[in-house]
Amino acid sequence: MTSNARSLPSLSPNVSSSSPGAPDAAAGSGVSAPVPGVAASAASHADLGALTPKIEVTALDFYYDAAHVLHDIHMRIPERLVTAFIGPSGCGKSTFLRTLNRMNDIIPGARVAGTVEIDGIDIYGREIDVVDLRRRIGMVFQKSNPFPKSVYDNVAYGPRINGMVTSRGQLDEIVESSLHAAALWDEVKDRLQASALALSGGQQQRLCIARALAVKPEIVLMDEPASALDPIATQRIEELVHQLKRDYTIVIVTHNMQQAARISDFTAFFWLGRLVEFDRTERIFTAPGEQLTEDYVTGRFG
Ligand SMILES: Nc1ncnc2c1ncn2[C@@H]1O[C@H](COP(=O)(O)OP(=O)(O)OP(=O)(O)O)[C@@H](O)[C@H]1O
Ligand SMILES: [Mg+2]
């Protein structure tokens, strides 16, 4: 984040700042800036350049019963990079994240319209096996949720139930490599049979990341994975995210704008259920195309 953002001109020629579609609630939000355009077309133009989109969201609307909480979202999320979702509480970040692996399906009254394509296949299509989808798209939550089992059994759980291994040796290998990938191996290698609940909060969160990685996902969704952790444990998670993008597409929700600026390549700013702006992180924090984004990232509201 920079303090000179306000003095920079808008560098975003393909983002309309006068398009219609801003929500009425802007008037009551305490935002004094002109109401920006938040139409879908304004938000969907992050230039991925030569990057390959892993996830492509088109015209996505989402409802909890009668409550319309996501409006016409368009977004292309690049492969093997980190994409951060930022925005004020209640703006729909978690809901949108959950639409990417159909975790909302289990919420009664939840309804989604539009498409979410992963590698060009609509995950809401009839032929989709949701269990396999969630194996391919892992999720890590704000509050770490290890099973009340041993460290080993937490990581081994997914490979076991997905029938991914035929021998104990294979399972041992997956457990070890997943714990390495989650930067936890050295801390737990001598107590694999100890209860996961005896680990520290930061270790438990990395264990949950190891558990997510053990089923060999392509995408890892993280919903504020470090918000309950102290600064040192947070830093370890941030370093880990940075390493993981070599192998995985990462999408991370964070309330912490410095964290988004540090760890992500692309940032999406949501507001009142709309995607206001999606662009390279550097641009979002130094020269956003929308006044509302600038007001948010410079701390004028939040
Ligand atoms: N299970 C649910 N049933 C009904 N409404 C819900 C449900 N979960 C979320 N909502 C509503 O949907 C809107 C978006 O919520 P969501 O949790 O996606 O926001 P968020 O941006 O993740 O917020 P936070 O930063 O506080 O986590 C809010 O108005 C919220 O009250
Ligand atoms: Mg949330």
Side-chain angles (χ1 to χ4, degrees):
M1 190 156 65
T2 67
S3 56
N4 64 346
R6 241 162 276 147
S7 63
L8 291 169
S10 167
L11 296 175
S12 188
N14 54 2
V15 173
S16 160
S17 56
S18 59
S19 51
D24 299 341
S29 69
V31 179
S32 56
V35 175
V38 288
S41 57
S44 57
H45 288 151
D47 180 7
L48 296 192
L51 300 170
T52 308
K54 180 72 178 172
I55 306 174
E56 181 149 8
V57 177
T58 307
L60 184 123
D61 283 77
F62 187 88
Y63 305 80
Y64 291 111
D65 291 306
H68 188 176
V69 302
L70 292 173
H71 302 260
D72 199 26
I73 309 284
H74 293 248
M75 192 189 293
R76 292 160 74 217
I77 297 177
E79 186 171 52
R80 292 184 199 219
L81 288 176
V82 178
T83 295
F85 294 171
I86 61 170
S89 185
C91 69
K93 303 178 297 295
S94 296
T95 301
F96 183 59
L97 190 75
R98 290 193 301 259
T99 65
L100 304 181
N101 72 344
R102 296 187 51 173
M103 282 296 271
N104 292 314
D105 286 16
I106 54 180
I107 299 174
R111 185 162 67 82
V112 65
T115 59
V116 176
E117 291 177 349
I118 302 214
D119 295 332
I121 310 270
D122 182 8
I123 65 168
Y124 286 90
R126 277 173 199 277
E127 72 290 359
I128 293 296
D129 173 346
V130 179
V131 172
D132 183 58
L133 178 78
R134 299 210 187 106
R135 184 198 63 71
R136 291 174 57 206
I137 309 167
M139 191 149 189
V140 175
F141 301 88
Q142 174 174 18
K143 195 171 173 315
S144 64
N145 54 352
F147 304 134
K149 293 170 177 283
S150 69
V151 170
Y152 185 99
D153 284 341
N154 265 271
V155 185
Y157 182 83
R160 277 181 175 136
I161 61 161
N162 282 290
M164 292 169 60
V165 290
T166 52
S167 72
R168 178 72 185 203
Q170 263 183 320
L171 192 56
D172 288 351
E173 254 174 55
I174 292 183
V175 169
E176 180 171 344
S177 64
S178 304
L179 287 167
H180 270 297
L184 187 59
W185 174 251
D186 289 341
E187 291 162 63
V188 299
K189 63 178 189 280
D190 298 323
R191 45 181 176 146
L192 294 175
Q193 297 310 325
S195 169
L197 303 179
L199 300 178
S200 73
Q203 288 171 334
Q204 289 190 16
Q205 191 59 297
R206 278 178 284 141
L207 180 66
C208 291
I209 293 172
R211 190 176 64 191
L213 300 180
V215 293
K216 305 198 182 305
E218 297 155 37
I219 299 169
V220 182
L221 309 176
M222 299 183 168
D223 196 348
E224 302 196 50
S227 65
L229 303 178
D230 66 37
I232 303 227
T234 297
Q235 193 185 343
R236 299 221 52 179
I237 298 280
E238 290 186 9
E239 287 163 4
L240 176 58
V241 167
H242 189 72
Q243 288 164 19
L244 290 176
K245 77 176 182 183
R246 279 193 303 228
D247 299 309
Y248 305 92
T249 300
I250 310 275
V251 187
I252 183 166
V253 174
T254 177
H255 258 115
N256 179 328
M257 283 190 276
Q258 285 79 11
Q259 182 172 78
R262 277 194 299 268
I263 67 175
S264 70
D265 301 285
F266 281 78
T267 295
F269 168 55
F270 289 87
W271 183 66
L272 294 177
R274 285 167 159 89
L275 174 59
V276 174
E277 190 164 357
F278 178 55
D279 212 329
R280 289 179 186 273
T281 295
E282 194 191 331
R283 180 106 138 220
I284 291 287
F285 286 97
T286 59
E290 296 290 333
Q291 184 67 45
L292 190 60
T293 311
E294 187 178 309
D295 288 347
Y296 186 71
V297 301
T298 55
R300 272 191 248 165
F301 74 100

